[in-house]
Amino acid sequence: MAGQTEADGPDRTSDTGDTGDTGDTATAVRELVGVYHANGTVLGEVSYWVKARLGRGHCQLCDITHGSVREKAEWRACRADLPVPFTTVHLDERSPEVALATEGRTPCVVALTDAGPRMLLDPADLERCDGSPAQLVDAVEGAMARLGLRPAS
């Protein structure tokens, strides 16, 4: 929605959420939110699991954070080392603010800032992580640096 005013919401000029901000002050990130490309209901979870096993559904973020059934230990360790909290939500669990910023762009990772959510990683970025939690952390840190974002103190 390039061209929006601040009152309308974030001006997104690229798939990575880069708005072209070149100010000297970094925006503080309060939280990172990973949005899965599936609903969190029992039916949504089972439907995704079946589709994924049949090759008909895919969520790059799920590949990074989960094995075939449960959360990866490597992901828990990497998440614990991040300087800000990283939560994950399903499509039907997004806050209105996150839903607006991520609609049609999931799975993804967004940074919650006082200026609103900023897209850090889109589906293609997550695909490049090749299922690796460590690569996800590197990608998040790189995106934050490129966008002039810093962890809130």
Side-chain angles (χ1 to χ4, degrees):
M1 295 182 225
Q4 287 182 322
T5 66
E6 272 187 43
D8 293 330
D11 181 24
R12 292 184 292 243
T13 57
S14 77
D15 288 341
T16 60
D18 185 1
T19 62
D21 294 345
T22 58
D24 294 322
T25 60
T27 301
V29 175
R30 298 183 321 267
E31 181 180 1
L32 299 168
V33 178
V35 181
Y36 294 118
H37 191 66
N39 285 320
T41 62
V42 171
L43 180 58
E45 294 276 353
V46 170
S47 174
Y48 172 78
W49 190 86
V50 169
K51 287 177 183 177
R53 298 310 164 272
L54 296 174
R56 295 186 179 155
H58 182 65
C59 172
Q60 296 88 340
L61 185 58
C62 294
D63 294 345
I64 294 166
T65 63
H66 285 74
S68 55
V69 176
R70 62 178 59 161
E71 195 174 68
K72 292 178 180 178
E74 181 188 359
W75 165 240
R76 288 192 299 273
C78 286
R79 181 180 58 208
D81 288 340
L82 286 166
V84 294
F86 189 117
T87 59
T88 52
V89 297
H90 295 88
L91 293 172
D92 58 336
E93 299 165 340
R94 295 175 292 176
S95 69
E97 176 183 55
V98 170
L100 182 62
T102 63
E103 192 61 40
R105 302 172 78 189
T106 61
C108 61
V109 176
V110 296
L112 300 185
T113 73
D114 288 337
R118 298 285 304 270
M119 180 68 67
L120 292 182
L121 305 174
D122 63 17
D125 297 322
L126 293 172
E127 187 70 38
R128 284 189 289 278
C129 293
D130 198 30
S132 168
Q135 287 185 41
L136 173 65
V137 169
D138 290 346
V140 164
E141 290 173 345
M144 286 177 60
R146 279 190 310 279
L147 297 173
L149 302 175
R150 62 168 173 74
S153 35

